[in-house]
Amino acid sequence: MDISKPAARPTNPRFSSGPCAKYPSFNLQQLDSAPLGRSHRAAVGKDKLKAAIEETRELLGVPAEYHIGIVPASDTGAVEMAMWSLLGARPVTMVAWESFGAGWVTDVVKQLKLDATVKTADYGEIVDMAALDYDTDVVFTWNGTTAGVRMPSGEAIPARRAGLTICDATSAAFAQDLPWDKLDVTTFSWQKVLGGEAAHGILILSPRAVERLETYTPPWPMPKIFRLTKGGKLIDGIFRGETINTPSMLAVEDYLYALDWARSVGGLKGLIARADANAQAVFDFCAANDWIENLAVDPATRSNTSVCLKFTDARITDGAAFAKAVAKRLEAENVAYDIGAYRDAPAGLRIWCGGTVETADIKALLPWLAWAFEAEINA
Ligand SMILES: Cc1ncc(COP(=O)(O)O)c(C=O)c1O
């Protein structure tokens, strides 16, 4: 079948899974208000950093007794800082169902050389989280960005547990409900769901995580960039905006504007509703077309941010080449940038559906997907 090009294009063709699209009203000029060329330790810098922390707390509903810090090296920095600082005190369970979770397994098993219990699932599947021993420390990813598989809820995690839960929530925070009572360490980066600038990570600690930090010293060397305690006490300043090293005040300003925008669309509830609507449009498209499917096998685990898709048409002989060619056609038409599957993931497409993406743009993209599929089949 030959189909002609759809008449309308998405207004914004940015569907990358990170850095993600800027929020719709983003405007570079407004960043003029950033205190550039000033010390981040001056009152003006500290106030901005403190505001970023407190507004994050308010928007995400983080309990008052949890600590929130801005840390270096994006989400990776936050996760590694947590693992290096906390692990080793008790047995560890590492959980992975896609590439980023697998990276944390490598860190713990090969670098920290801990004898961890490792539970993995294939791309599209999820580990049985209810079967884990939560008296061990458990490290997992809430939303597997490269598989499009997410935790359906925190139900599987017991509220009372002896171990800590360390959760990489970078493509979940601001798009999915995070049950704070089930999470001892939560991390994310600004470049994800709110479309902020890369560089910084957010590290959220429960009182039990802080207690571990203050009562346990890991046996391995700790670079300055990972140090959260001094003399056996939490360095409180980090959680008031006194960052370990120099932050980008431009990135901070950008994050503050992104938080403003998030509030303007109804806060967390509004952001979740936007991501849900975007993802639903893609799910409906898959339901209506028998040549494309969600990579997530169980509908309850389908991500509403990093929606991963696979082609199922029997005429396709080289899946990877086919998916690449489709993504290339869409990019060449300025219809969709960066929607090829992640390099370690099964062949297919990945369409970012987080709240900064407009549903109208997702809906405008989908007919083009059908066009590119047919064009590539014909080719
Ligand atoms: C689940 C997950 N973890 C970690 C990362 C790494 O994030 P960053 O590059 O912000 O360190 C990503 C980035 O895509 C991710 O999706």
Side-chain angles (χ1 to χ4, degrees):
M1 187 177 73
D2 208 0
I3 62 172
S4 52
K5 287 183 187 176
R9 284 176 161 74
T11 306
N12 184 356
R14 292 173 184 83
F15 301 104
S16 152
S17 291
C20 301
K22 293 300 216 189
Y23 55 90
S25 57
F26 171 77
N27 145 26
L28 199 54
Q29 241 77 57
Q30 70 190 5
L31 298 185
D32 278 351
S33 54
L36 302 184
R38 292 294 312 275
S39 168
H40 59 294
R41 313 243 183 243
V44 61
K46 268 201 210 156
D47 286 351
K48 296 268 184 191
L49 289 155
K50 198 158 170 265
I53 290 173
E54 286 318 313
E55 291 177 28
T56 299
R57 184 186 301 284
E58 202 186 310
L59 224 135
L60 294 180
V62 179
E65 66 275 20
Y66 280 46
H67 283 72
I68 303 178
I70 298 169
V71 301
S74 213
D75 180 64
T76 308
V79 176
E80 292 189 333
M81 175 182 242
M83 294 195 302
W84 258 251
S85 298
L86 295 162
L87 295 183
R90 54 192 313 129
V92 182
T93 304
M94 296 298 300
V95 184
W97 55 84
E98 50 81 64
S99 178
F100 286 101
W104 310 142
V105 175
T106 301
D107 266 356
V108 167
V109 174
K110 297 230 165 96
Q111 299 296 322
L112 292 179
K113 302 196 188 330
L114 290 174
D115 183 18
T117 301
V118 178
K119 302 277 184 193
T120 60
D122 282 341
Y123 280 84
E125 308 274 357
I126 192 165
V127 167
D128 180 0
M129 297 297 285
L132 305 181
D133 178 359
Y134 289 92
D135 288 339
T136 69
D137 292 334
V138 177
V139 182
F140 67 104
T141 302
W142 193 275
N143 183 94
T145 321
T146 63
V149 171
R150 67 147 146 179
M151 292 274 291
S153 74
E155 225 168 90
I157 304 170
R160 287 174 68 85
R161 56 191 180 274
L164 298 178
T165 49
I166 299 178
C167 174
D168 171 0
T170 201
S171 52
F174 299 111
Q176 298 166 17
D177 260 322
L178 296 171
W180 298 108
D181 60 328
K182 307 293 180 80
L183 305 175
D184 294 302
V185 178
T186 308
T187 68
F188 63 87
S189 50
W190 292 353
Q191 50 102 0
K192 282 285 170 195
V193 180
L194 290 188
E197 287 306 287
H200 300 302
I202 292 273
L203 175 70
I204 304 179
L205 303 175
S206 76
R208 291 179 55 242
V210 172
E211 183 193 12
R212 170 77 62 83
L213 284 171
E214 294 188 331
T215 53
Y216 165 70
T217 307
W220 41 74
M222 194 70 73
K224 174 180 171 180
I225 216 87
F226 281 2
R227 267 178 247 155
L228 292 165
T229 57
K230 193 173 174 188
K233 279 271 152 225
L234 189 73
I235 305 173
D236 278 325
I238 296 174
F239 303 93
R240 287 194 305 264
E242 294 160 24
T243 49
I244 298 172
N245 66 334
T246 314
S248 158
M249 295 312 295
L250 195 62
V252 171
E253 195 72 0
D254 181 64
Y255 181 59
L256 288 170
Y257 279 115
L259 289 165
D260 279 350
W261 169 80
R263 281 188 292 270
S264 80
V265 295
L268 182 58
K269 266 203 181 129
L271 290 170
I272 293 173
R274 286 175 66 92
D276 282 349
N278 288 343
Q280 191 58 50
V282 182
F283 301 164
D284 291 347
F285 179 81
C286 291
N289 290 281
D290 59 5
W291 46 267
I292 194 157
E293 253 179 25
N294 202 300
L295 187 59
V297 176
D298 176 357
T301 67
R302 282 179 191 159
S303 173
N304 65 348
T305 55
S306 57
V307 178
C308 293
L309 305 173
K310 60 181 180 189
F311 293 105
T312 54
D313 194 291
R315 292 169 290 179
I316 300 169
T317 50
D318 181 341
F322 185 86
K324 263 194 188 147
V326 167
K328 201 169 157 202
R329 276 180 197 272
L330 294 170
E331 176 151 354
E333 291 287 344
N334 294 314
V335 157
Y337 301 149
D338 314 320
I339 65 164
Y342 191 71
R343 54 181 188 251
D344 301 339
L349 302 177
R350 180 173 57 162
I351 301 173
W352 184 257
C353 288
T356 58
V357 172
E358 298 276 30
T359 307
D361 285 338
I362 295 276
K363 287 188 172 162
L365 161 66
L366 295 168
W368 280 95
L369 196 50
W371 166 81
F373 168 78
E374 290 298 341
E376 201 48 44
I377 285 285
N378 291 341

